[in-house]
Amino acid sequence: MRDVLDVHTHTLSSGHAYSTLHENATVAKAKNLQLLGVSDHAPTTPGSCHKFNFMNLRFMPHDAYGIKLLFGIELNITDYSGSTDLAGNILKNLDYAIASLHNSNLPPGTLEENTAAIIGAIKNPYVVIIGHPDNPRYQVDFDAIAKAAKDNNVLLEVNNSSYIEGYRKGSRDTAAKMLKACQKYGTEVIMGSDAHIDVDVGNHEHSIEVLKQNNFPEELVVNSDVEKFYKHLKN
């Protein structure tokens, strides 16, 4: 499977990650990636940076360290309507946004509540990716989510760190359900490393295993071509 991009990565700015932008970019270049996206955690994540960090990203170079760069954010979904923790006047100056459910910001609700939370985030005009939507802690209606993602040109993530059987244990089983729904509606997905240290940048080993185990069609995986990802950018 061709894999030339990783846009779910974290730097020291996230508070619980361990590498700099330069370190992440150096590894990305060494692994022959064509595009690296920085998506540090939004301000309501415990220990993360102030909103000023994201406001200042508009001054960052998009071609540096020998690789193309994009600057985004991993937003927290903060209620069951799909609200997120940074305003549109800041998000409009970022290249993209990932929206994710995290226990520290919103505890798991009912299947209906969790599904509504993700669909609400999908409809956010600045959200391009839903992060680890197959987290088994949040039971959801994958048919409804896959259809909403398709209708709104949003990508569902196949998150490599989820399949290491640690914090989000059981994600491989829920991924099978998600990928089946994505095939049904023709919904595109994106592999993300969710790297919190430079050596993990571009590491999609487990994501590739999950896609192959579920016979997921490569043409629905945008990591094969930078231009396929660019088509989902809304800014």
Side-chain angles (χ1 to χ4, degrees):
M1 181 177 293
R2 190 166 186 263
D3 183 11
V4 298
L5 62 91
D6 187 7
V7 299
H8 190 163
T9 69
H10 299 277
T11 72
L12 290 169
S13 295
S14 285
H16 60 280
Y18 303 96
S19 301
T20 65
L21 169 60
H22 180 258
E23 290 167 336
N24 283 357
T26 299
V27 170
K29 174 66 174 176
K31 292 183 177 181
N32 296 315
L33 294 186
Q34 297 175 13
L35 177 67
L36 172 67
V38 181
S39 54
D40 282 312
H41 285 283
T44 62
T45 297
S48 194
C49 54
H50 192 271
K51 66 179 181 180
F52 288 170
N53 176 82
F54 300 100
M55 294 170 66
N56 208 45
L57 289 177
R58 66 185 185 275
F59 298 113
M60 298 293 281
H62 283 77
D63 198 341
Y65 313 119
I67 190 170
K68 292 186 183 299
L69 300 172
L70 291 179
F71 296 94
I73 187 172
E74 184 176 9
L75 297 165
N76 294 293
I77 300 174
T78 57
D79 61 34
Y80 299 116
S81 297
S83 303
T84 59
D85 52 349
L86 211 58
N89 65 322
I90 298 175
L91 296 178
K92 70 179 182 181
N93 292 314
L94 301 180
D95 293 316
Y96 65 101
I98 301 171
S100 305
L101 287 166
H102 293 113
N103 279 34
S104 58
N105 296 85
L106 186 67
T110 64
L111 183 146
E112 292 76 17
E113 289 173 331
N114 299 335
T115 301
I118 290 181
I119 290 178
I122 285 172
K123 293 179 179 179
N124 183 320
Y126 301 106
V127 169
V128 175
I129 300 167
I130 297 296
H132 41 77
D134 52 4
N135 183 349
R137 297 187 182 201
Y138 293 89
Q139 295 296 304
V140 296
D141 180 342
F142 284 116
D143 263 36
I145 288 171
K147 184 178 186 304
K150 174 68 174 180
D151 291 345
N152 289 273
N153 197 37
V154 168
L155 298 163
L156 299 183
E157 186 188 37
V158 182
N159 185 291
N160 194 74
S161 69
S162 294
Y163 310 129
I164 301 173
E165 294 301 316
Y167 176 65
R168 292 187 284 270
K169 185 176 182 179
S171 292
R172 287 177 183 257
D173 292 333
T174 48
K177 298 175 184 178
M178 179 182 79
L179 294 173
K180 182 179 180 180
C182 287
Q183 288 190 65
K184 177 179 179 180
Y185 293 101
T187 306
E188 290 185 303
V189 304
I190 185 168
M191 295 186 291
S193 69
D194 203 353
H196 283 66
I197 190 168
D198 57 358
V199 294
D200 265 345
V201 170
N203 180 9
H204 298 143
E205 175 186 1
H206 300 296
S207 295
I208 291 171
E209 287 177 358
V210 167
L211 291 169
K212 288 183 176 179
Q213 288 167 357
N214 289 280
N215 298 311
F216 194 76
E218 290 189 25
E219 60 267 24
L220 292 180
V221 184
V222 303
N223 297 74
S224 63
D225 188 342
V226 170
E227 292 301 323
K228 288 177 72 173
F229 177 65
Y230 284 162
K231 289 178 181 178
H232 289 268
L233 298 183
K234 300 179 181 181
N235 295 346

